[in-house]
């Protein structure tokens, strides 16, 4: 497995190095001041260097590193979500429980591979108790709006994201001890799809997909990104238990869900009147701006593998 991970890391480093060189050449030749597109491109590449470095360190620490990393990602994403939504003093106990109980317990369930409770802890028990605790305080102002935002926050920031390290708990025949590669496959194809959609949209985009939600998304970008990401998935089939055709199909489904996740995240930002979830990552916005595609893709990918490839 370390050999395959090394190949993936070397490939990513080669791609990032090429992108950095191209961006440097374009910046040197472009008239000053640089266009916003070129500045944003450089910021995105620099941010990707940092993110790839963090993921590389987590990969070499295995299950322990990945679980801790995604718990921290959930914490940062949840904080961004809560910051953008309306809360009142009576919500403080619920908010404290979201950060101090739900995140640690959900990732403890991932670590212990307690699948039965892992899949229902948040959408059943937390969703029932959170509004009950708020109601006990007797504060009914914008009650439905507040509890809906809190429930949706833990759903996408914690529950959905936790399905990424949960891939390490799956028992795939003939793939024992290599499930870390499934995480690599998921992240590369889904994040790769985002980048490819951006590139195809900039080069060929003419027909907007949903201008009221995300003006930058186009049909040309979507189709080009999904097709290219599916081909990328087929090329990466050697790190999965899938055949090339199966890998392409799984990548297509995961990236399609990733696109929908990004669209939903954009709708939430539009509703709240902001451009980005935060400013944690220069050129990329907040943590949620980078994980929005994984939000929808991870649970679907997890259950596809569990239902069709596990014992």
């Amino acid at each position: 497995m370390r050999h395959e991970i090394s190949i993936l890391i070397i490939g990513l480093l080669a791609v990032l190095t090429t992108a950095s060189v191209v961006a440097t050449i374009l910046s040197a030749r472009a008239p000053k001041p640089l266009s916003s597109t070129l500045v944003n491109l450089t910021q995105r590449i620099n941010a990707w260097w940092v993110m790839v470095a963090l993921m590389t360190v987590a990969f070499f620490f295995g299950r322990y590193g990945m679980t801790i990393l995604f718990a921290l990602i959930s914490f940062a994403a949840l904080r961004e979500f809560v910051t953008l939504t309306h809360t009142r003093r009576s919500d403080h106990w619920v908010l404290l429980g979201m950060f101090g109980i739900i995140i640690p317990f959900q990732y403890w369930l991932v670590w212990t591979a307690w699948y039965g409770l892992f899949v229902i802890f948040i959408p059943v028990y937390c969703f029932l108790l959170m509004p009950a605790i708020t109601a006990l305080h007797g504060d009914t102002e914008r009650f439905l709006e507040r509890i809906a935002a809190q429930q949706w926050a833990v759903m996408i920031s914690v529950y959905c994201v936790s399905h990424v390290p949960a891939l390490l708990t799956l028992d795939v025949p003939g793939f024992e001890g290599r499930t870390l590669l499934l995480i690599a496959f998921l992240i590369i194809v889904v994040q790769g799809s985002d980048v490819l959609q951006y590139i195809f949209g900039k080069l060929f985009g003419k027909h907007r997909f949903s201008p009221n939600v995300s003006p930058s998304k186009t049909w040309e970008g979507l189709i080009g990104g999904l097709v290219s990401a599916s081909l990328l998935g087929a090329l990466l089939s050697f790190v999965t238990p899938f055949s090339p055709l199966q890998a392409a199909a799984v990548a297509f489904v995961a990236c399609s869900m990733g696109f929908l996740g990004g669209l939903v995240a954009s709708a939430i930002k539009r509703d709240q009147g902001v451009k980005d979830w935060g400013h944690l990552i220069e050129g990329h916005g907040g943590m949620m701006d980078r994980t929005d595609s994984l939000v929808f893709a991870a649970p679907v990918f997890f259950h596809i593998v569990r239902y069709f490839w596990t014992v």
Side-chain angles (χ1 to χ4, degrees):
M1 183 181 69
R2 287 188 178 273
H3 175 68
E4 292 160 318
I5 290 179
S6 297
I7 292 175
L8 291 177
I9 292 173
I10 291 171
L12 287 173
L13 293 178
V15 171
L16 285 175
T17 300
T18 302
S20 295
V21 171
V22 171
T24 301
I25 294 173
L26 290 176
S27 298
R29 294 182 176 181
K32 305 300 186 289
L34 298 177
S35 66
S36 58
T37 299
L38 194 54
V39 171
N40 182 256
L41 175 63
T42 303
Q43 290 175 335
R44 284 173 175 263
I45 294 171
N46 293 337
W48 270 109
W49 275 108
V50 176
M51 289 187 285
V52 168
L54 290 174
M55 290 299 300
T56 300
V57 172
F59 270 119
F60 281 103
F61 278 96
R63 184 176 176 183
Y64 179 81
M66 296 306 295
T67 304
I68 294 296
L69 174 63
F70 279 93
L72 293 174
I73 288 174
S74 284
F75 185 92
L78 183 60
R79 179 181 176 277
E80 291 173 353
F81 200 115
V82 170
T83 300
L84 291 184
T85 55
H86 176 75
T87 58
R88 291 172 60 81
R89 180 178 292 274
S90 57
D91 298 321
H92 287 180
W93 282 109
V94 173
L95 296 175
L96 182 62
M98 289 161 63
F99 288 96
I101 298 176
I102 294 177
I103 291 178
F105 193 71
Q106 179 71 5
Y107 280 91
W108 178 78
L109 294 174
V110 171
W111 178 259
T112 58
W114 191 348
Y115 174 78
L117 189 55
F118 163 75
V119 294
I120 66 171
F121 170 61
I122 289 177
V124 177
Y125 297 112
C126 293
F127 274 28
L128 293 176
L129 287 175
M130 289 166 63
I133 293 172
T134 302
L136 286 171
H137 283 84
D139 185 357
T140 59
E141 184 174 340
R142 299 172 70 176
F143 179 79
L144 184 59
E145 175 189 341
R146 286 156 46 210
I147 62 171
Q150 292 161 6
Q151 290 174 329
W152 191 235
V154 295
M155 173 59 76
I156 68 173
S157 303
V158 185
Y159 183 75
C160 291
V161 174
S162 68
H163 280 76
V164 179
L167 288 165
L168 299 175
T169 67
L170 297 178
D171 182 17
V172 180
F175 205 67
E176 293 83 359
R178 302 172 67 207
T179 48
L180 195 61
L181 295 170
L182 290 175
I183 296 180
F185 176 84
L186 173 64
I187 293 175
I188 290 173
V189 296
V190 172
Q191 296 298 328
S193 177
D194 282 352
V195 174
L196 291 165
Q197 287 176 37
Y198 176 82
I199 293 173
F200 277 97
K202 288 293 184 181
L203 293 177
F204 309 108
K206 293 182 180 179
H207 303 88
R208 294 181 179 179
F209 184 88
S210 182
N212 291 332
V213 177
S214 183
S216 63
K217 295 185 185 299
T218 64
W219 279 104
E220 292 83 1
L222 172 61
I223 295 171
L226 290 181
V227 171
S228 300
S230 299
L231 293 175
L232 176 62
L235 292 174
L236 292 175
S237 62
F238 71 96
V239 301
T240 72
F242 320 137
S243 68
L245 184 59
Q246 291 171 337
V250 171
F252 179 84
V253 173
C255 293
S256 297
M257 295 305 300
F259 172 81
L260 294 178
L263 198 65
V264 170
S266 295
I268 295 174
K269 289 187 289 185
R270 288 281 178 183
D271 178 62
Q272 298 300 312
V274 297
K275 180 179 181 295
D276 296 317
W277 287 95
H279 306 285
L280 180 64
I281 308 171
E282 185 182 11
H284 285 254
M287 184 62 70
M288 275 296 299
D289 292 291
R290 284 299 89 215
T291 59
D292 54 9
S293 52
L294 279 177
V295 164
F296 279 32
V300 173
F301 181 79
F302 174 88
H303 286 101
I304 286 176
V305 177
R306 185 176 185 274
Y307 291 139
F308 294 104
W309 275 276
T310 61
V311 293

